[in-house]
Every structure is written in C-alpha cells, then in structure tokens.
C-alpha cells in the first residue's frame, strides 16, 4: 500500500511541477470569470444576465470537459508514459521497490487527481463568480451544478485511460500526443457522418453531465452510457497495464 | 558470507539476435564485482534483467532470497542502482529528486537525504535544478539516489563513463570505503578494465552475451598474469567461436 | 501468477461484454429523439395533409395573443391553402394564403378586399422532395452539436399502438444558446411578434411551409404589432421548455405541441410569467385538397419581385 501511495504522491508532484498544470488550473479559474464578465457586459447591453448568469457554471463545464481537460489529460498521459521513457526517467521509479502494476495504477490515479482538481477549480470559480455577480440561484441549481461537476469525472477517467492506452504504443511523447489528438478529433467528427458511431465512441460522452442535471435522462440511458464508459475504462486499463508490465526499459 | 544476489540460467534475447544467454552467478555480501566486456557484450542487458527493467526469457533472479518475479518489492527494498546512464528529473532540484525516491522507503530516517548529499558532495547544489548539473554532478546525484535506501547491494552500470581522472579516483575511493565500512556489495559493469581494477574483489567476463568467466579475483587470475591478459585469454578461449573475429583491439 | 492473468482476462472479458451489451441495447433502445425524427420524416413524405394549429401566448395567465391557423397542403398538385386568425389587443384579424396555378395569393389583414399575387418562378412552383427536410449533413451536424441533450427525449408507448415523445428541459438543462435567443426575443418588444411566428415554427421543426408563408404575410402586414406583450427588461430567463408529439401507429405525427415559459420583470418592477404554447393537429394524410380562391372580378395587386426579396419557399 505504501508503494502505491508513494508512487501516487510522486506522480502528482511531477504533474504539479509542470508549468502546464498551473496554466490549465489558471485557465479553469479564468474561464468562468471571463464568462461572468462577458455575460455581465452583454447583460447590461441586452438584458441577458439573468438568462445566462446561471448558465456560467455549465458553460464552463462544457468548455472544460470538451476541450481543456481532454487536451490537458492527453498531454499529461503522454508525459507520464512515453515522455518518461524518452527522458529515461521511467527506470528511476521502476528500480524502486514498487511493482509495475502499482506504478501504473499510481500514474492513472494521478491523472484522475489532476482532472478532479481542475474540475474542482473550475466549479468553485464559477460558483464564486456567480455568487458575486448575479442574484442567488435556487438550491436545485446548486445541486445540479454539483452533480454535473462530480459525474464529469467518469467520462474523463475513460478518456484518460484511453489516452494511456494510446500512449503505450509510443516511446515519444510528441508522437503520442499527436495521435491522441487525432483520435479525439476523429471521434468527435465521425458522428457527424455516422450518427450510430456516437453510441460506441467513448469520447462522445464528454458532455455526459447533461444527462444528469434537472429532470435528467431515464435510468436506462444513464446506466447504458455509464456501462459503456466503465467497459472502455476496464478494457483500456487491463490492456495498458499488461503492456506496461511487459515492456523493457 | 551471505548471498545477496543469485542469478540462475538467465537468458534474454532481443529481436536482433543480441542479448544474454544462460548467465548464472552469485554476489555475496562485501563483494565488489567487476563485470567486464566490450561494448555490446550484454552488460547493460544483464543489469537491466537483474533489476527488473527487462523481463528474462528464462532463468530466475533472487535478491536477499526473494524472487524478483514474485516478490519484486521485497527483493528491491535494499538495492540501489544506476542503470545505463545517470538520469534525473531535470525540472526538479537535486534534493527533490532524492525526496521522490525516498518516498518508497517508509522506514528511512529523514536525515538520510542530507547524508547522501553530503556523501556525494552535492550538498551545496541540492537546491539547483538537475538540468543545470554537469555530467559529473548528475552521476553523483544518481549515486546518491542509489545509496539513499541504505542498500546492501548497489548495482552500477558503467559509472565511470564521462568522469575525469579525479572523479574516477574519487568514485573508486567512495566505493571501496562503502564496501569496507558499511559492508555494501557492489556489482559494477565497465568496458574499461583499468577503471575498476584497483578495487574489484570478484570479476565476471561477459562476451557475446555469455558469462565466460566468473569468480573471485585471486582464485581466477594467476599471480603472474595481469588482469588484462587474463581478460584477453578469457574472451579468446571463449566458447567455440571464430578466432579471427576476436581481436585484442576491440578492447579499447 | 496464473491467477493474475485469469483476473486480467476476466476484467477485459467483462468489459468487452459490458460494452457490447450496453452499446447494442443503446442502439436498439427506443430513443425519443430518433422516434420523433423518423415520424417527422414519414409525415413530410405524405403527399398531402392538413395542419390545424393554435398558438397562445399568456402573460401571468392573461391571454395576449391567440392565433389559429389551418394549413392544407398537397404536394402532388403543388397547391396550398392557409387560413390564419390572429387575436391580439387590437382585435381579431384573418389572413388567407393560397398557392395555386403557379402563384401565391395573399389576402386579409387590414385590407380584406385586395388580393396580393406573387408569381412564382419555375423552380418555386413545385414542392421538391427536399423542401421540408433539412439537408442530411445539416441534420447530422445539429445532432453532433446537440450531443447528449437529444438523449433527454423520452418515448412512451401508447395503448393505441402509437407513441408519445417528450423532451422536457428546465433550468440549467436549457442550452445556453436557446436560453440567450429565448430571453433576447422575449425581452425585446420589437422582436416579440416575430418570435411568435417563429414560435410555431420552432415547435414543429421542419414544418417550413407554415413559417415561411406566415413570414411572407408579416412582411405585408406590418400592422401586426399590436400585442399586449410585456416589455421584460430585468431577470429575463427561459425557465422551461417542453416539446411533445403524438405519433400514430403508421409512424405519422398526429399531434405535437411545444411550450416555453419565460419569466422576467418589466420596467415597473412587475414580475411576469409569459407562457408561449403552440399546438398542432395533423390530419388528412394523403386525402387533403387545399382550398382555392377564384380571382375573377377581385381587386388584384401583383407583387413586383426585387432582387433582395427573399425566395418564399427556401
């Protein structure tokens, strides 16, 4: 257990020491603030502040889960796996008393931790800027936002695991990152031509939270999409950890 | 003497036909084992296999009686190593690099990081980022990281590469002192005999992936023979290979 | 060691089975959105139909706009007739529109004796197959943009063998773009009456015939501004959107209705709840003959087409 905890702390520290993590955290805070200011301005001009003021939290979430976090998680996954292979730092941890399975788990958990932290930053920033600038929202909208931000970790976890799975094919982080972005863009564009693809693509659920707010979707829809995300996560996890264990460094 | 490392019939072949075949040897407490061989003889592959960076195709490796394959964490708990090159997270300070490593050893006293920094002469550079370190400093940092867990066995891959004469002498002195005072065993590879000759107590000669000689130095090398001559003899009388291919010149 | 591989294999196997099971059931599943889309396409394919609709706008329970309309359409004969009755603060007005003999005829409003005739170009005379369906790629793009919102639509089987689809969005579920457009429209008097015309169009997506013909009439009858719509200036917000459709067992949309609730405060600080409700009954599939008007002996004004005039049927 100590080895897993130690690895997790190390991986989180590595992510934290990277400038891009701080930049993304700053963006996660800035996005809702900018939306709030923009809507405040538009609101005075057009009388829209009430209509959109309470949407800041969800617009922010859409931007964060659709663009910011995927891009960040791709970069972080490329960094923690092929990046460390090419920087030859992977072996520094591998020769420590920790099994590869635990090291793998720690890296994946660190990605999840980063995603959760960025989501939390965006959520808190949008709540605070909402509080400061618009009339207080009813309680159910607060709980809606809280639920939306919380459940977003599920599709992001699946996305991270698939990014890790892709990363396993590369020994160079730039190539891995490029491939992840390509796959993501393709997965986002393909449903435009083949709508049925959306059901099978794990990336089409980045706005999964829309199924949870308000009246929400039916239980069958929620379960189906949840199981699809979990299924991808499970498969990506075991095939990646197996590849990771078999690699020579 | 207690056996710290047992290597039994280990083979690892790569796609290009290179690798190591049927390597067996032991390292006992207090030994300083020099593992010699020309570039490409399989030294790094052997050390990577011993430390779990590569999985052997066959054979088994035990450290402190623990099988590497099934009890990796216990096996590696008292081992320090520097494999291939002295690498570090160059965006972290020297000290933070060591702190990362220290997390894996819950029983380690907090002062140990300072100790190894002191031991390797890095104390005054500990708060500089590793990317600003010279090659020699990086090698010291790697050695500090290897010594961090109070190891009983230290595995070093070509530690003298890139060192100047002063640095090399210093390294040899450090190794000899640690072996003498703290009873740490060393397994050190080198393609230059002269770099380690003054301190090694046991030698292994690796040629084309096979360990053609292994034993205690005074038992293997006759008193009237230099280590160099012994080495040349060993690789030439190696195992049924074309004599014309082997030339003494390859050594340099 | 072996146990580990069995575990890994099991996890992968369960994952694959779960994916296959959930994916297939999601594909086979009765999606409200898909059911509605199929029915709308089927309905548009009907050679003729009658559409009776009603649009009611209330402000704090008081009716401020009441529009009744009846559209008859026959694609085979390329004819159309529409009858609209609008009741606002300034009383009731009626309008009629006809598409016959290759021209559009409009009558009604302030001047009920003058018939405005718009000759139609060759390509406008026929109802093409694609006239009422959005282009394929536009539909797919919209679906991609909607994302998971379309999954919020539900479908219910009715005892009659038909189906009822519902999309209900409230509070933060309402997409920001809809929220912005809705609030802007509701908050601005000048835009409000236009919105009313589009309210019907929006509620039954794709039924372009009604929207376009009433737009054309609006442009001829600017006097239609006299509705007692409240001028919402503060805290304007779309609270609730609800779209329902009844689909019969032949996959034809028989009834559909849409409702949007907007809340806000006017300049005087008075709170308003504006409810816009549009409902449509569709009938006479394949059996509708549009009404015609006999122009002999009537006062006829021919509308000159200018370059910038929008094409009526695009």
């Amino acid at each position: 257990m100590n080895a897993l905890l130690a690895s997790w702390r190390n991986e989180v520290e590595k992510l934290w020491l990277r400038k891009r993590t701080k930049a993304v955290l700053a963006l996660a805070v800035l996005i809702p603030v900018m939306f709030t200011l923009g809507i405040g301005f538009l609101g005075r001009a057009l009388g829209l502040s009430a209509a959109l003021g309470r949407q800041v939290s969800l617009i922010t979430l859409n931007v964060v889960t659709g663009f910011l976090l995927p891009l960040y998680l791709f970069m972080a996954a490329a960094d923690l796996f092929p990046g460390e292979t090419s920087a030859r730092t992977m072996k520094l941890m591998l020769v420590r008393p920790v099994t590869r399975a635990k090291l793998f788990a720690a890296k994946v958990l660190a990605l999840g931790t980063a995603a959760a932290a960025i989501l939390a930053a965006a959520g808190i920033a949008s709540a605070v800027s909402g509080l400061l600038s618009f009339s207080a929202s009813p309680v159910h909208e607060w709980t809606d936002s809280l639920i939306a931000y919380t459940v977003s970790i599920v599709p992001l976890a699946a996305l991270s695991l698939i990014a890790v799975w892709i990363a396993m094919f590369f020994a160079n982080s730039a190539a891995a990152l490029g491939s992840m972005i390509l796959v993501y863009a393709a997965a986002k564009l393909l449903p435009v031509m083949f709508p049925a693809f959306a059901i099978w693509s794990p990336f089409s659920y980045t706005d999964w939270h829309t199924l949870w707010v308000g009246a929400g979707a039916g239980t069958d829809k929620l379960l189906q999409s949840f199981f699809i995300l979990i299924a991808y996560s499970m498969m990506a996890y075991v095939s990646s950890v197996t590849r990771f264990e078999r690699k020579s460094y | 003497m207690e056996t710290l490392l047992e290597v039994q019939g280990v083979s690892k072949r790569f796609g290009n036909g290179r690798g190591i075949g049927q390597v067996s040897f032991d390292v006992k407490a207090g030994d300083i084992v020099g593992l010699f061989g020309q570039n490409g003889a399989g030294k790094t592959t052997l050390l990577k296999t011993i430390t779990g960076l590569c999985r052997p195709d066959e054979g088994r490796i035990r450290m402190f009686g623990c099988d590497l394959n099934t009890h990796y964490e216990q096996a590696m708990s008292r081992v320090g190593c520097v494999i291939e090159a002295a690498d570090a997270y160059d965006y972290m300070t020297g000290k933070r690099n060591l702190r990362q490593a220290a997390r894996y050893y819950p029983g380690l006293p907090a002062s140990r990081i300072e100790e190894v920094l002191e031991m390797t002469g890095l104390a005054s550079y500990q708060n500089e980022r590793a990317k600003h370190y010279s090659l020699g400093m990086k090698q010291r940092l790697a050695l500090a990281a290897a010594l961090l867990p109070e190891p009983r066995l230290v595995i070093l891959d070509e530690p003298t590469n890139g060192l100047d004469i002063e640095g090399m002498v210093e390294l040899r002195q450090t190794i000899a002192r640690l072996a003498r005072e703290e009873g740490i065993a060393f397994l050190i590879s080198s393609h230059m005999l002269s770099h380690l000759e003054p301190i090694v107590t046991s030698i292994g000669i690796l040629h084309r992936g096979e360990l053609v000689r292994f034993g205690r130095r005074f038992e293997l090398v006759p008193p009237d023979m230099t280590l160099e001559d012994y080495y040349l003899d060993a690789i030439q009388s190696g195992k049924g290979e074309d004599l014309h291919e082997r030339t003494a010149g390859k050594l340099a | 060691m072996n146990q580990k591989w069995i575990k890994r294999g099991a996890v992968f196997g369960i994952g694959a089975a779960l994916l296959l099971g959930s994916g297939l059931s999601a594909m086979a599943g009765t999606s409200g959105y898909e059911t509605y889309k199929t029915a709308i396409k089927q309905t548009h394919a009907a050679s003729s139909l009658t559409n009776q609709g009603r649009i009611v706008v209330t402000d704090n329970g008081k009716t401020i706009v009441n529009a009744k309309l009846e559209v008859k359409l026959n694609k085979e004969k390329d004819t159309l007739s529409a009858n609209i009755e609008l009741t606002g603060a300034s009383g009731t007005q009626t309008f009629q529109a006809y598409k016959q003999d290759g021209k559009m005829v409009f009558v009604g409003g302030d001047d009920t004796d003058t018939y405005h005739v718009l000759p139609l170009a060759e390509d406008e005379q026929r109802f093409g197959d694609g006239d009422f369906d959005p282009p394929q790629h536009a539909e797919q793009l919209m679906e991609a943009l909607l994302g998971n919102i379309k999954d919020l639509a539900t479908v219910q089987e009715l005892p009659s063998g038909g189906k009822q689809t519902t999309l209900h969005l409230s509070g933060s579920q309402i997409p920001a773009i809809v929220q912005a457009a809705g609030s802007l429209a509701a908050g601005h008097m000048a835009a409000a009456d236009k919105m009313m015309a589009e309210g019907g169009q929006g509620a039954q997506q794709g039924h372009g015939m009604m929207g376009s013909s009433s737009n054309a009439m609006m442009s001829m009858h600017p006097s239609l501004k006299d509705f007692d719509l409240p001028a919402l200036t503060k805290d304007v917000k779309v609270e609730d959107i609800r779209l329902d459709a009844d689909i019969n067992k032949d996959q034809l949309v028989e009834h559909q209705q849409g409702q949007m609730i907007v809340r806000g405060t006017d300049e005087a600080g008075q709170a308003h709840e504006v409810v816009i409700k549009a409902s449509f009954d569709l009938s006479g599939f394949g059996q509708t003959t549009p009404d015609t008007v006999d122009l002999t002996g009537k006062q006829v004004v021919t509308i000159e087409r200018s370059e910038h005039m929008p094409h009526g049927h695009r």
Side-chain angles (χ1 to χ4, degrees):
Chain A
M1 225 34 224
N2 170 71
L4 179 62
L5 187 68
S7 302
W8 173 75
R9 286 180 63 190
N10 282 349
E11 300 302 325
V12 169
E13 184 175 47
K14 275 184 231 166
L15 288 177
W16 171 246
L17 287 173
R18 291 313 190 104
K19 281 198 191 82
R20 75 169 74 98
T21 303
K22 287 163 192 161
V24 168
L25 270 171
L27 265 178
V29 171
L30 269 178
I31 288 170
V33 170
M34 273 158 51
F35 276 136
T36 306
L37 292 177
I39 286 165
F41 176 75
L42 261 180
R44 268 193 302 282
L46 304 168
L48 280 180
S49 39
L52 293 180
R54 290 179 200 166
Q55 297 260 343
V56 166
S57 145
L58 286 178
I59 300 173
T60 304
L61 186 58
N62 282 332
V63 173
V64 169
T65 58
F67 299 97
L68 189 65
L69 264 177
L71 196 63
Y72 173 75
L73 289 171
F74 291 163
M75 287 195 285
D79 206 28
L80 291 187
F81 289 97
E84 289 220 41
T85 309
S86 60
R88 297 186 304 189
T89 49
M90 189 69 95
K91 60 182 161 56
L92 296 183
M93 290 162 293
L94 290 175
V95 299
R96 297 294 166 191
V98 57
T99 60
R100 289 198 183 186
K102 282 186 196 168
L103 191 60
F104 180 85
K107 282 175 178 285
V108 168
L109 279 176
L111 290 178
T113 310
I118 291 162
L119 276 177
I124 292 168
S126 58
V128 169
S129 48
L131 262 185
L132 292 180
S133 51
F134 305 110
S135 51
S137 303
V139 175
H140 70 88
E141 289 191 7
W142 284 100
T143 49
D144 265 3
S145 287
L146 190 64
I147 290 169
Y149 275 82
T150 311
V151 299
S152 290
I153 201 75
V154 176
L156 287 171
L159 179 136
S160 307
L161 282 167
I162 288 165
V164 167
W165 181 75
I166 295 172
M168 285 298 149
F169 292 93
F170 294 90
N172 165 310
S173 62
L177 177 61
S179 310
M180 291 171 199
I181 292 175
L182 223 74
V183 168
Y184 184 68
K188 283 288 189 194
L189 287 177
L190 264 177
V192 177
M193 278 167 283
F194 312 103
F197 181 79
I199 290 175
W200 297 95
S201 160
F203 296 135
S204 57
Y205 298 94
T206 49
D207 62 344
W208 198 51
H209 55 86
T210 47
L211 297 186
W212 286 83
V213 296
T219 321
D220 53 339
K221 276 264 155 53
L222 288 180
L223 278 181
Q224 273 164 5
S225 44
F226 179 69
F227 283 144
I228 287 172
L229 290 170
I230 289 293
Y232 273 112
S233 305
M234 285 163 73
M235 291 192 292
Y237 190 98
V238 290
S239 41
S240 307
V241 74
T242 304
R243 283 184 71 95
F244 186 63
E245 280 186 330
R246 288 182 170 179
K247 270 195 175 177
S248 291
Y249 285 94
Chain B
M1 272 298 193
E2 185 194 350
T3 301
L4 303 185
L5 169 67
E6 291 165 72
V7 178
Q8 289 172 0
V10 166
S11 299
K12 172 78 186 176
R13 290 278 167 206
F14 293 108
N16 58 10
R18 298 251 287 248
I20 49 171
Q22 292 298 325
V23 174
S24 302
F25 66 95
D26 292 349
V27 176
K28 294 189 163 59
D31 278 353
I32 301 178
V33 180
L35 190 63
F36 301 107
Q38 59 205 48
N39 286 324
K43 300 184 298 292
T44 297
T45 303
L46 177 58
L47 296 188
K48 281 187 172 181
T49 311
I50 291 172
T51 51
L53 291 174
C54 286
R55 227 152 257 274
D57 301 330
E58 53 181 330
R60 66 185 227 169
I61 296 151
R62 288 158 71 86
M63 279 199 242
F64 314 104
C66 301
D67 192 305
L68 202 67
N69 207 13
T70 53
H71 296 84
Y72 189 79
E73 289 182 11
Q74 290 98 312
M76 294 300 284
S77 61
R78 299 298 298 277
V79 181
C81 36
V82 182
I83 305 291
E84 208 164 27
D87 294 298
Y89 291 102
D90 55 10
Y91 55 92
M92 291 184 199
T93 62
K95 190 175 185 177
R96 205 189 278 274
N97 265 291
L98 293 176
R99 211 185 300 147
Q100 284 241 333
R103 292 202 177 105
Y104 289 107
Y105 310 96
L108 213 59
S111 58
R112 183 64 185 168
I113 292 176
E114 306 295 332
E115 256 173 61
V116 293
L117 281 167
E118 212 58 61
M119 210 183 286
T120 51
L122 277 177
S124 47
Y125 308 104
Q126 56 175 302
N127 291 323
E128 270 181 47
R129 287 185 190 207
K131 76 170 122 192
H132 303 306
Y133 280 17
S134 67
L135 180 61
M137 283 159 78
K138 274 191 183 164
Q139 262 162 335
R140 288 191 223 176
L141 179 60
L143 184 64
L147 294 175
L148 184 74
E150 301 176 330
R152 299 193 59 207
L153 171 65
V154 172
I155 299 170
L156 303 174
D157 186 17
E158 303 273 3
T160 57
N161 263 6
L163 288 188
D164 52 19
I165 298 172
E166 222 183 333
M168 194 156 61
V169 171
E170 216 176 283
L171 177 71
R172 276 203 301 254
Q173 284 170 347
T174 310
I175 292 170
R177 183 173 50 79
L178 288 168
R180 194 174 59 240
E181 290 172 8
E182 308 196 17
I184 300 175
F186 284 87
L187 173 61
I188 309 168
S189 75
S190 181
H191 65 284
M192 295 292 280
L193 281 173
S194 57
H195 287 180
L196 298 175
E197 189 178 356
I199 54 167
V200 292
T201 61
S202 295
I203 54 170
I205 295 174
L206 202 58
H207 185 59
R208 300 194 168 175
E210 288 182 50
L211 191 65
V212 293
R213 293 286 188 280
F214 189 89
R216 301 196 71 77
R217 184 180 179 175
F218 65 84
E219 288 167 6
L220 281 184
V221 188
D224 58 340
M225 210 175 182
T226 64
L227 187 57
E228 223 162 55
D229 289 338
Y230 179 78
Y231 175 87
L232 290 177
D233 182 63
I235 63 166
Q236 270 163 31
S237 61
K239 299 191 180 171
E241 277 151 15
D242 188 2
L243 279 170
H244 295 289
E245 276 186 41
R246 302 184 213 119
T247 54
K250 279 188 185 174
L251 241 182
Chain C
M1 200 57 193
N2 258 339
Q3 228 181 344
K4 185 169 97 179
W5 295 114
I6 292 169
K7 259 192 234 165
R8 294 261 170 94
V11 171
F12 193 91
I14 293 169
L18 206 55
L19 176 64
L20 209 65
S22 311
L24 288 178
S25 79
M27 277 185 92
T30 43
S31 146
Y33 176 78
E34 290 297 328
T35 307
Y36 178 71
K37 199 176 81 181
T38 312
I40 276 292
K41 283 186 177 164
Q42 184 80 11
T43 308
H44 281 152
S47 58
S48 68
L49 57 82
T50 304
N51 186 353
Q52 286 168 301
R54 191 180 172 91
I55 300 168
V56 180
V57 181
T58 59
D59 173 22
N60 289 337
K62 190 179 82 163
T63 301
I64 46 177
V65 179
N66 189 345
K68 273 194 260 182
L69 51 94
E70 184 184 63
V71 177
K72 292 180 184 171
L73 169 77
N74 190 316
K75 280 200 240 178
E76 275 168 359
K77 296 186 182 127
D78 291 316
T79 53
L80 156 83
S81 69
N83 188 7
I84 299 177
E85 188 188 309
L86 257 176
T87 308
S90 52
T92 300
Q93 285 186 324
T94 58
F95 307 90
Q96 281 88 38
Y98 306 91
K99 180 181 183 180
Q100 57 186 45
D101 310 326
K103 34 185 193 279
M104 288 294 299
V105 179
F106 304 100
V107 67
D110 299 332
D111 182 1
T112 51
D113 296 329
T114 309
Y115 289 77
H116 301 264
V117 174
L118 176 69
L120 295 175
E122 191 62 35
D123 63 324
E124 293 172 333
Q125 292 183 13
R126 293 197 59 81
F127 291 117
D129 278 340
D131 269 5
F132 305 118
D133 296 326
Q136 186 77 358
H137 54 267
E139 174 191 319
Q140 286 165 349
L141 185 67
M142 196 192 75
E143 284 180 18
L145 287 176
L146 271 178
N148 281 324
I149 284 179
K150 61 180 190 292
D151 287 338
L152 294 172
T154 58
V155 62
Q156 222 183 343
E157 304 277 341
L158 296 176
S160 63
K163 294 185 185 108
Q164 185 174 42
T165 59
T166 302
L167 176 63
H168 186 196
L169 298 175
S170 65
S172 37
Q173 278 178 311
I174 299 167
I177 188 83
V178 176
Q179 185 64 265
S183 310
L184 260 185
H188 287 72
M189 268 297 283
D193 50 355
K194 186 161 173 271
M195 181 203 67
M196 190 206 67
E198 281 165 0
Q201 193 183 19
Q204 54 164 40
Q205 294 204 348
H207 267 221
M209 55 186 179
M210 226 182 42
S212 51
S213 52
S214 41
N215 270 350
M217 290 172 63
M218 289 295 177
S219 63
M220 293 171 54
H221 296 280
S223 63
L224 275 177
K225 272 184 183 171
D226 298 342
F227 295 123
D228 204 6
L229 281 168
L232 304 180
T233 53
K234 247 188 89 207
D235 297 337
V236 190
K237 186 166 186 248
V238 179
E239 290 279 349
D240 194 277
I241 293 175
R242 192 184 171 100
L243 304 170
D244 292 288
D246 289 343
I247 296 161
N248 69 13
K249 57 182 188 299
D250 300 325
Q251 296 301 310
L252 294 166
V253 178
E254 278 192 332
H255 174 80
Q256 56 182 0
Q257 63 178 43
Q259 178 181 292
M260 178 159 101
I261 302 174
V262 182
R263 286 215 179 87
T265 315
D266 64 15
E267 209 59 68
Q270 167 78 39
H272 290 272
E273 183 185 79
V274 178
V275 179
I276 300 149
K277 200 170 174 176
S279 64
F280 303 92
D281 286 305
L282 288 86
S283 57
F285 299 106
Q287 293 157 11
T288 297
T289 308
D291 304 330
T292 51
V293 60
D294 187 3
L295 292 175
T296 43
K298 304 269 167 60
Q299 190 186 341
V300 171
V301 176
T302 302
I303 303 167
E304 294 297 323
R305 298 192 81 128
S306 57
E307 277 307 304
H308 62 268
M309 183 158 177
H311 281 223
H313 283 271
R314 288 287 154 183

